[in-house]
Amino acid sequence: MNIGLWAAGLLAASVAAPGFAACNLKADNAAHAGPGCAHRWMDANLAMNDILTVGVHNSYHVRADPRVLALIKAAAPSRWQGLDYDHEPLTDQLNDGARALELDLVYDPQGGRFAHPKGARLAGVPEDPAYVAAMSAPGFKVMHIQDIDYRSNCLSFISCLTIIRSWSLAHPGHTPILITMNTNDEKSLIPGGVDELAFNTAAYDALDAEIARVFPTSALITPDRVRGRYPTLREAVLNHGWPSLGAARGKIMFALDEGPVHVAAYRGSRRSLEGRLLFVNTDEQSPVAGYITLNERADAARITADVRAGFIVRTRADADTLEARTYDTTRRDAALESGAQYVSTDYRHRDKGLSDYQVRLPGDAVTICNPVRGAGRCGGISIEP
């Protein structure tokens, strides 16, 4: 079935069929579309880059075992606090309204490479047979720093993807979810620890393959889908190439949040990510530009310009627990005002041991109109309550 024709037919039916309100889908904003018509107006008149939503940084992260954390404190007294945070299971985060998640991956094609963390052994933490079994299976694993900050609420990439897919199927009208990924290939910080494997093109081929095992292409927003008839992704994005909000609901968008070396390995010889499932973080002039990570407060003007141009931007409201420890809302407020569609935080909920700092949208909305691209268009009505 032609999805465009199907959507057009649905919108026509919503106007003409008995029992439906007469919706004015050409109104100037959602509030003027007619009683009960606001969300149909949004789906027809907004694109997926016309939103603002709050997600979770390092969504998988589970606070280190106290015995391991004590070792980290002793070895890195100025850095340990940046690791001292905790997140709920992914399903709970999604139920709470998180529409951006972040997963840090390590490559483990044979399995077992990260099953026996050196930090746990040094701290005298007994091995957990369930952990060892999960980490012994071949495939990408999800962790922050091997050997020391390795605990995760979903240990394998496949398990994380399966959780997200199950939740998405059960909530088909959700705001498009952004999943950003860091692909780690660093040496261990502990002598005698395990170094991570390089993320080369073969590793990235395997990464796409794992995603495809869980998500059919129809469930994804992909570079090919956005590029459409344009020769490059950048040209499509600058010419309103993002799907409508209605077409993007219930979909997932993956982005590789990495620097030029990793992006080049993922892109290979492709001009514009043909056949790839991930968007990539790059500069605004690249033919593959569509998604950009701009995490610093100093990036605010650049974020606003990029969002106006048509790019999708992810930024951070806080980092390393600093803002939460001092209740500093400056970075948070700048992030929410910048126009970045996806604002990431470690504190969708307060940490009672730190302060009342948290990052949520007004009225506890999940998604609202973007302040730069869509100010006033939603008439004060939440895109996703």
Side-chain angles (χ1 to χ4, degrees):
M1 175 182 288
N2 184 299
I3 297 298
L5 292 177
W6 176 84
L10 178 62
L11 291 173
S14 71
V15 174
F20 282 94
C23 294
N24 178 11
L25 298 181
K26 294 184 179 180
D28 58 353
N29 72 53
H32 298 156
C37 297
H39 289 98
R40 274 178 272 168
W41 185 95
M42 294 174 187
D43 283 356
N45 289 280
L46 300 179
M48 67 172 284
N49 60 330
D50 291 329
I51 67 170
L52 167 61
T53 192
V54 174
V56 178
H57 162 256
N58 285 357
S59 314
Y60 59 88
H61 193 265
V62 175
R63 185 178 278 111
D65 182 286
R67 290 163 288 187
V68 176
L69 194 59
L71 284 181
I72 298 172
K73 285 183 183 181
S78 64
R79 294 187 58 191
W80 73 270
Q81 290 182 331
L83 307 179
D84 190 24
Y85 61 95
D86 206 40
H87 289 314
E88 301 172 311
L90 294 184
T91 297
D92 292 348
Q93 294 177 46
L94 292 165
N95 284 337
D96 183 53
R99 297 295 177 264
L101 304 174
E102 183 177 39
L103 304 174
D104 289 347
L105 306 182
V106 293
Y107 187 37
D108 189 20
Q110 305 304 316
R113 187 173 185 85
F114 306 98
H116 308 283
K118 185 65 178 291
R121 283 179 279 166
L122 291 176
V125 178
E127 285 199 334
D128 177 359
Y131 179 90
V132 174
M135 298 298 281
S136 295
F140 295 93
K141 306 303 188 301
V142 179
M143 68 177 67
H144 192 213
I145 305 171
Q146 79 275 29
D147 289 315
I148 59 170
D149 196 26
Y150 52 83
R151 297 176 75 183
S152 173
N153 57 36
C154 52
L155 295 173
S156 70
F157 188 42
I158 284 289
S159 67
C160 298
L161 294 176
T162 301
I163 292 167
I164 296 165
R165 173 64 169 158
S166 296
W167 186 92
S168 179
L169 286 171
H171 302 81
H174 66 73
T175 302
I177 296 170
L178 172 67
I179 300 175
T180 54
M181 290 169 293
N182 297 137
T183 49
N184 299 333
D185 50 13
E186 304 290 334
K187 293 186 179 299
S188 178
L189 298 176
I190 296 182
V194 176
D195 295 339
E196 295 166 342
L197 297 177
F199 265 90
N200 52 24
T201 299
Y204 283 123
D205 288 345
L207 178 59
D208 268 7
E210 283 208 2
I211 293 172
R213 282 176 55 189
V214 178
F215 287 93
T217 305
S218 60
L220 303 176
I221 303 296
T222 64
D224 284 341
R225 180 174 185 173
V226 174
R227 189 178 62 256
R229 62 184 176 85
Y230 288 93
T232 68
L233 182 58
R234 179 179 183 272
E235 290 173 81
V237 164
L238 297 182
N239 288 279
H240 312 289
W242 294 106
S244 70
L245 178 61
R249 284 192 189 272
K251 303 291 193 299
I252 311 295
M253 172 181 167
F254 287 91
L256 178 63
D257 185 8
E258 283 291 353
V261 173
H262 286 84
V263 167
Y266 182 73
R267 181 181 176 185
S269 61
R270 299 167 183 84
R271 174 167 169 74
S272 202
L273 297 174
E274 294 84 355
R276 283 303 202 188
L277 299 183
L278 313 183
F279 292 81
V280 295
N281 177 35
T282 187
D283 67 88
E284 294 86 346
Q285 301 307 313
S286 170
V288 298
Y291 163 84
I292 303 175
T293 298
L294 295 170
N295 281 332
E296 305 306 322
R297 185 183 171 197
D299 293 325
R302 183 179 170 190
I303 291 171
T304 300
D306 286 348
V307 168
R308 283 196 178 121
F311 298 106
I312 283 180
V313 177
R314 178 263 202 180
T315 195
R316 289 186 67 178
D318 42 75
D320 301 323
T321 76
L322 296 175
E323 288 79 8
R325 292 181 185 279
T326 60
Y327 194 71
D328 182 356
T329 64
T330 307
R331 183 174 180 177
R332 177 195 72 184
D333 296 344
L336 292 172
E337 293 169 3
S338 68
Q341 291 89 349
Y342 294 92
V343 175
S344 183
T345 179
D346 285 320
Y347 299 97
R348 278 187 58 84
H349 294 282
R350 300 176 181 90
D351 186 325
K352 294 179 181 178
L354 299 180
S355 73
D356 285 340
Y357 178 88
Q358 64 177 350
V359 185
R360 300 183 80 85
L361 294 177
D364 220 25
V366 173
T367 308
I368 61 175
C369 255
N370 188 281
V372 169
R373 293 187 57 84
R377 298 187 72 196
C378 290
I381 301 168
S382 299
I383 290 174
E384 186 180 346

